[in-house]
Each structure stands twice: as structure tokens, then as C-alpha cells.
Amino acid sequence: MAEKPLILVTNDDGINAPGIRTLIEVMNQLGDVVVVAPDSPQSGMGHAITLYSTLFADPVKIDNGPQTEYSCSGTPADCVKIAIREILNRTPDLCVSGINHGSNASINVIYSGTMSAAIEAGIEGIPAIGFSLLDYGHDANFEPSKPYVKTIAEHVLKHGLPEGIVLNVNIPNLNKEAIKGIKVSRQARANWVEEFDKRQTPQGKDYYWLTGKFVNLDGGEDTDEWALENHYVSIVPTQFDLTAHHFINDIKNWNLND
Amino acid sequence: MAEKPLILVTNDDGINAPGIRTLIEVMNQLGDVVVVAPDSPQSGMGHAITLYSTLFADPVKIDNGPQTEYSCSGTPADCVKIAIREILNRTPDLCVSGINHGSNASINVIYSGTMSAAIEAGIEGIPAIGFSLLDYGHDANFEPSKPYVKTIAEHVLKHGLPEGIVLNVNIPNLNKEAIKGIKVSRQARANWVEEFDKRQTPQGKDYYWLTGKFVNLDGGEDTDEWALENHYVSIVPTQFDLTAHHFINDIKNWNLND
């Protein structure tokens, strides 16, 4: 393309998180970067949008990079919407979300604010990628992620993505030498077995904290969980047509109109 | 089954909404009903879960029906999690969510708290259905929905649903005579074109309200939008494996490891 690509960057851990700082640094090597990201952590927000509250989106300057940045009071999906409709002068060539502090592999994609931002961009026809590192810590080491983030973003800028598909990229928490490469995978079947931590308020009223244990129910060697456990970066092409097309005829055979 | 089916009821409009009251009334005809629903409206929450705040789930008595009810401070997905792990003595035979005040057809499924509750139950292996009526008003007329809700729930209790699939049912806002029947459909390709209503605080700071216009981009006669516009109740079998399986080989051909 004649001009530099326009890249929209967002996340769900908030605009000050180390993960998005790394992502901005890499994207500055590939194009003109505009950041519109939540002003506070939004993990576990799924595809929430703000219907009953006002939204703020304020210009901010956080580091010395060449990017333009806005801090937004909304969810990750809100950030993408407001960026496209109010902040950017043209449709971006790429939207990247992350780098998330923690896994968005397997069933985690459903709960992920990071991926909801990528999906929101995908709904708008923008090639989009969510990146996650399998380390929940604030002091996670994002260095080994950089070459993978750059390579995958370059390929998406070059090839584009078909309508209706975004990429879910998860990176194992390993040093550079230990990562074996990239595997294109499918979403593993897994769930969380919640363990609610039941407590009492000082006034004697029951309340709960949601905690849980991740359980991989899927032994397939073509899954994202397998790739990550075997030291590969996983890419799952992810769609937002949720129709279970293969089951349509089965329901028709229920003869619901009889 | 020997004993009556155990039915978990939830929604995203809050435990006092007329839609859930109708759903409870119909489910009381089919089994033993336990309601665990949000204490306040949660529309547009997507698949949000509560990670950074405490959860309350308090027994309540709202009407004179035989059901047991709990009012929960969390999201629709939280309600299902806490019901399964803390409130119910056994796995329910069916989970129903709704009846939502407003459409969850086409792309709305992505933002829907109603459907996130059904999907959460589906992840736990419980047959689940989200019901929505195409009327956003608090005084919507749920009467014509009742026979369809009952028929579809009865069929799911009888046939079950395969692992990984839940049903997204949308009902047109018409009187009984005008509804033509049930159509099994696919999710239409559509989006929302947001129109941010930009205002200023009394102190002169910009802020926004999110509003938007729904745009159906899909002319297919096999879609949920087509069914609804043509006076049918739409059922879309909906999955939470988001993998775009058909695109895996294309990405492999990018040769990302070269």
C-alpha cells in the first residue's frame, strides 16, 4: 500500500498494562498506530458493551512512542466502536488487541475482553488479531513474544483475512529458545470447574468469590491447548457466526410445527 | 424420567422483569423450577463474569408460583455458575434463559447476556435455550410466546441437545394468529452502525452515549432475520466452538514458520 498501514491497538487489561505497551512498540515498526484502550482492567468482560452509562475517550500521553492514544471509560468492544466511529479518520488496516496477561485459549475465548475487541473489529470488516501470553502476572516477560507478534501481524497485513474471521493467538510463557514455532490449531473443548469461596460479611450475610480450576476435556493434538503445552505459539482462526450448521437438519426433523 | 425434570431459569433483564415471570410460569408446567437471576438489568453484558467483586445470591419470593428463587448480584453467566455449583443439589435437566425483552437474532447473539447464560449452561453439558421476544418494552405482550416456549422446551427435554450446542430462539412481536410457525435458521450476517451521541458535561468535557442502527447485510431466506421478518419464530442452533475450521489450512499455507 502507498501509505503506511493504519493500526488500531486495544486490550482488556487497561491502557497502562505492560502487555499493550509491548504491542504498541511492535506495531510502531509496522505502521501508524492509534491506541484506544480501557482506562482500567476489563478482564472477563466478554463481549460487554456500555448501554446504560456515558463513555469518555480522552487523549493521553503515556510513553515516548510516536503513537496517538486515547483512554476510554468503556469496555474493549466499546473502545473499538468509538475508535472506528469517532476517533479515526479512516478504517484501520489492522486491529490488534492485547497482549493479554493470561491465556485466551480454548473456552477462555468466550469470556475474553481481548478477543471481544478483535471480534468487534472483525464484525466491522477489519482484519483483527487478539494476542495473549500465558502469564497472568503484571511483571510477565513479553520479550519472547515480540517476533511472533510481528510476524503474524505482517502476514495478516499482507494476506488479509476473509470476512467473518479473526485470529486468536496464544503464546506460551517460555524463553525465546524454548518456543518451537507456530501451530495453527482449533479451540480445545475445555471448561472451568468453579470453586466458589463462600464467606460471610461482618454482618453475617453469605457472599462468594468466584474461583475455579481449568479442565481440558480434549485430548486432540490439533488443539490450541496441545500446541501451548508442547511449546508452540497457537493460532486459532475464530468466527462470530455461531450457527451450528451441521445441526440444522436434525432440529428440522423434530417437526416442531406438527 | 422417573422424577420431574429440574429446570434452571435465568435471564439478563433482571429477576423482576415480566419476561422471566412468563418463562417461569410456562416452566412450572414442565418441571421443578429453580430461578437464579440477576438482581438488576444486565443487557449487553455479553459473556461477562465477575472476577474482581463479591457475589451475593439471596433467596427471594416474588410471586405465588411453586418455584424456588434466588436473586444474584452477578452477571447472567455468574448466575448459571453459582446455581450449578452452590445452589442446586443435582445437575438440571434443562436451563432456559429469558424471555429477553428485545431481539437476540443475528449478530445480537454476541452481545447477549441472555444467550451467555444459555451458553454457560451448554459448556456445563446442560441442554439450554435462550428465548427472546422482539419487543424492548417493559410492557411487552408475552402471551403469544407461551405456546412456542412450551413446545420448544418440551422437545429439548425429550430429544436433548448434542454436546456443544444450545438453542437461540427469537419470537416475532405479533399476536397469536399472525405467527406462522417455527423456522430453524442460521445466524444472519448483520452489524450495528453506531451513532455516538456526543455531549458535554456541565464542566465542558466531551462524553458519548452509544446508540446505533441495526443493518442486516444478509439477504438469505434461511436466516433468523428472514424468518422473523416473515412472521416465523426462529431457532438457531448455536455453538461455542468458535474455530473457523474451514480456514485452518489456508493459514497453514502462509508458512508462518519459514
Side-chain angles (χ1 to χ4, degrees):
Chain A
M1 47 199 88
E3 56 191 53
K4 282 166 83 178
L6 178 61
I7 303 175
L8 172 63
V9 179
T10 190
N11 77 341
D12 78 342
D13 292 312
I15 197 162
N16 289 296
I20 195 172
R21 296 290 116 200
T22 304
L23 189 54
I24 294 165
E25 185 191 329
V26 176
M27 291 304 127
N28 279 332
Q29 301 167 30
L30 301 179
D32 291 324
V33 173
V34 177
V35 180
V36 183
D39 59 12
S40 60
Q42 299 278 327
S43 296
M45 281 306 281
H47 209 108
I49 52 175
T50 302
L51 296 176
Y52 303 118
S53 170
T54 55
L55 286 171
F56 291 88
D58 301 321
V60 288
K61 181 81 185 155
I62 292 175
D63 63 29
N64 292 321
Q67 73 279 0
T68 308
E69 301 200 44
Y70 295 81
S71 172
C72 175
S73 62
T75 65
D78 290 331
C79 288
V80 172
K81 285 177 183 290
I82 210 163
I84 293 170
R85 307 284 180 218
E86 291 288 327
I87 294 173
L88 300 173
N89 295 320
R90 66 177 184 91
T91 304
D93 302 294
L94 177 67
C95 173
V96 290
S97 179
I99 302 171
N100 189 60
H101 294 239
S103 173
N104 281 316
S106 69
I107 197 64
N108 297 299
V109 68
I110 295 277
Y111 305 103
S112 167
T114 303
M115 283 305 296
S116 80
I119 288 171
E120 188 63 41
I123 292 170
E124 293 298 322
I126 301 162
I129 316 166
F131 292 103
S132 305
L133 174 66
L134 271 63
D135 183 339
Y136 290 88
H138 186 80
D139 58 351
N141 177 16
F142 287 96
E143 264 323 294
S145 300
K146 288 183 184 174
Y148 295 99
V149 169
K150 190 175 176 191
T151 296
I152 295 166
E154 281 174 332
H155 274 81
V156 170
L157 281 168
K158 180 175 158 198
H159 299 285
L161 286 172
E163 182 178 302
I165 293 177
V166 303
L167 301 186
N168 182 15
V169 176
N170 284 272
I171 302 166
N173 185 24
L174 297 167
N175 63 35
K176 193 180 155 190
E177 294 69 30
I179 300 179
K180 287 190 194 156
I182 297 170
K183 268 223 188 299
V184 188
S185 312
R186 67 173 172 85
Q187 177 187 325
R189 176 83 175 95
N191 70 357
W192 284 88
V193 177
E194 284 77 23
E195 290 157 1
F196 283 92
D197 184 349
K198 189 173 181 175
R199 302 186 183 186
Q200 283 200 327
T201 67
Q203 295 77 27
K205 190 167 149 62
D206 290 336
Y207 70 95
Y208 302 89
W209 286 101
L210 173 57
T211 71
K213 213 168 53 198
F214 177 76
V215 183
N216 183 3
L217 304 165
D218 192 333
E221 299 197 354
D222 55 348
T223 68
D224 48 6
E225 291 295 333
W226 188 93
L228 292 159
E229 280 161 23
N230 288 276
H231 303 185
Y232 290 94
V233 173
S234 152
I235 302 184
V236 177
T238 298
Q239 61 190 7
F240 44 87
D241 174 7
L242 308 189
T243 312
H245 291 275
H246 60 286
F247 193 60
I248 285 180
N249 278 327
D250 297 73
I251 306 186
K252 285 184 179 168
N253 290 333
W254 291 359
N255 298 315
L256 285 160
N257 291 310
D258 291 354
Chain B
M1 48 199 83
E3 58 191 52
K4 280 166 85 178
L6 177 61
I7 303 175
L8 172 63
V9 179
T10 190
N11 78 341
D12 79 341
D13 291 312
I15 197 162
N16 289 296
I20 197 172
R21 295 291 116 197
T22 304
L23 189 54
I24 294 164
E25 185 191 328
V26 176
M27 291 305 127
N28 278 333
Q29 301 168 29
L30 301 179
D32 290 325
V33 173
V34 178
V35 180
V36 184
D39 59 13
S40 60
Q42 300 277 327
S43 296
M45 282 306 282
H47 210 108
I49 51 174
T50 302
L51 298 174
Y52 303 118
S53 171
T54 55
L55 285 171
F56 290 88
D58 300 321
V60 288
K61 180 82 184 152
I62 293 176
D63 63 30
N64 291 321
Q67 72 278 0
T68 309
E69 301 201 43
Y70 295 82
S71 172
C72 175
S73 62
T75 65
D78 291 332
C79 288
V80 172
K81 285 177 183 291
I82 210 162
I84 293 170
R85 305 287 179 217
E86 290 289 327
I87 294 173
L88 299 173
N89 293 322
R90 66 176 184 90
T91 304
D93 300 295
L94 176 67
C95 173
V96 289
S97 179
I99 301 172
N100 189 59
H101 293 238
S103 174
N104 281 316
S106 68
I107 198 63
N108 297 299
V109 67
I110 296 277
Y111 306 103
S112 168
T114 303
M115 283 306 297
S116 80
I119 288 172
E120 188 63 41
I123 292 170
E124 292 298 323
I126 300 162
I129 316 167
F131 291 102
S132 305
L133 174 66
L134 271 64
D135 183 338
Y136 289 88
H138 185 80
D139 58 351
N141 178 16
F142 288 97
E143 267 318 299
S145 301
K146 288 182 184 176
Y148 295 98
V149 169
K150 189 174 176 191
T151 296
I152 295 166
E154 281 174 331
H155 276 82
V156 170
L157 281 168
K158 180 175 159 197
H159 299 286
L161 286 172
E163 183 178 301
I165 293 178
V166 303
L167 301 187
N168 182 14
V169 176
N170 283 271
I171 301 166
N173 186 24
L174 297 168
N175 63 36
K176 193 180 155 190
E177 293 70 30
I179 300 178
K180 287 190 194 155
I182 297 170
K183 268 224 187 298
V184 188
S185 313
R186 65 173 174 84
Q187 177 186 324
R189 177 83 174 93
N191 70 358
W192 284 87
V193 177
E194 284 77 23
E195 289 156 2
F196 283 92
D197 184 349
K198 189 173 181 176
R199 303 186 183 185
Q200 283 199 329
T201 67
Q203 296 77 28
K205 190 165 149 62
D206 290 336
Y207 70 95
Y208 302 88
W209 287 101
L210 172 58
T211 70
K213 211 168 53 198
F214 178 75
V215 182
N216 183 5
L217 305 164
D218 192 332
E221 299 197 353
D222 54 348
T223 68
D224 48 5
E225 291 295 333
W226 189 93
L228 291 160
E229 280 160 24
N230 289 275
H231 303 185
Y232 290 94
V233 173
S234 151
I235 302 185
V236 177
T238 297
Q239 61 190 6
F240 44 86
D241 173 6
L242 307 190
T243 312
H245 291 277
H246 60 285
F247 194 61
I248 286 180
N249 278 327
D250 297 73
I251 308 185
K252 285 184 178 167
N253 290 334
W254 292 359
N255 298 314
L256 285 160
N257 292 309
D258 291 352

